[in-house]
Amino acid sequence: MTVAKSSGKTGVLFVCLGNICRSPMAEAVFQHIVETNGISDQFVIDSAGTSRFHLGDKPDNRSAQTCRDRGVRVNHRARQTQPEDFDNFDFILCMDESNLDDLRMLKPKGSRAHVALFGSYSANSGDAVIRDPYYGGNKGFITNFEQVTRCSLGLLEELGFDNVTASFS
């Protein structure tokens, strides 16, 4: 994988527990938004999980289908967060407080990554935590899609991309 540190690009790593629902969706939505706005060459984007539960698995079918239904491509295999991620990415953005606690414990001293809740980039205070939809129905995945879209736009605005829009089919 090309890493942000050596490429001069902004590296964004999305993290959830198993890397099969929320974080691959966030990765796919963010990638879609930067591609459709012509700024994908400025980013290195990936996702990972804090656990080893689903290593090598494709995203949950419900997560992938929610993306595909909106014209967003999903192409990922689950992986676990690694110590080098904290130097290779500028932003490590997680979905809930449990992920945040895990990442803070894993973060090596002196590493450069900004670790935060992805939901902190949304203007909607209800997005602070992006809840795990795994044990629920399709509605949770749709809610996640809406949340990661708002958070993606907020992150891009924070990075100075003020005129970015989200367009889905």
Side-chain angles (χ1 to χ4, degrees):
M1 175 180 84
T2 304
V3 293
K5 183 178 179 181
S6 62
S7 70
K9 299 178 181 188
T10 299
V12 183
L13 180 68
F14 298 101
V15 177
C16 66
L17 179 63
N19 193 214
I20 60 166
C21 293
R22 297 168 291 170
S23 58
M25 178 184 282
E27 174 191 357
V29 168
F30 191 79
Q31 183 69 48
H32 177 87
I33 291 172
V34 298
E35 284 177 2
T36 58
N37 283 275
I39 56 174
S40 61
D41 62 333
Q42 297 182 48
F43 293 92
V44 173
I45 305 161
D46 197 3
S47 65
T50 57
S51 76
R52 301 177 48 85
F53 296 149
H54 300 285
L55 290 181
D57 290 354
K58 291 181 180 180
D60 181 283
N61 287 333
R62 297 164 296 175
S63 182
Q65 190 62 51
T66 300
C67 289
R68 284 192 301 269
D69 287 349
R70 289 152 184 80
V72 175
R73 289 186 324 270
V74 179
N75 182 21
H76 185 78
R77 292 286 184 160
R79 73 175 189 86
Q80 188 175 22
T81 308
Q82 299 298 313
E84 58 268 19
D85 290 332
F86 294 90
D87 285 322
N88 292 338
F89 290 92
D90 302 290
F91 296 88
I92 299 181
L93 304 174
C94 59
M95 305 301 143
D96 61 38
E97 281 103 1
S98 178
N99 305 146
L100 186 60
D101 290 343
D102 290 343
L103 289 169
R104 286 179 174 156
M105 287 183 355
L106 292 169
K107 185 178 180 180
K109 247 187 174 162
S111 60
R112 69 186 197 107
H114 173 70
V115 177
L117 289 171
F118 188 33
S120 68
Y121 290 95
S122 175
N124 182 339
S125 62
D127 290 339
V129 172
I130 299 170
R131 301 205 185 286
D132 193 343
Y134 187 77
Y135 293 105
N138 289 335
K139 185 177 181 208
F141 291 90
I142 294 167
T143 298
N144 284 173
F145 188 92
E146 293 165 353
Q147 288 177 298
V148 300
T149 298
R150 289 188 294 267
C151 297
S152 293
L153 293 171
L155 173 61
L156 289 165
E157 184 177 331
E158 178 83 16
L159 293 173
F161 297 96
D162 298 326
N163 297 316
V164 172
T165 60
S167 176
F168 305 107
S169 57

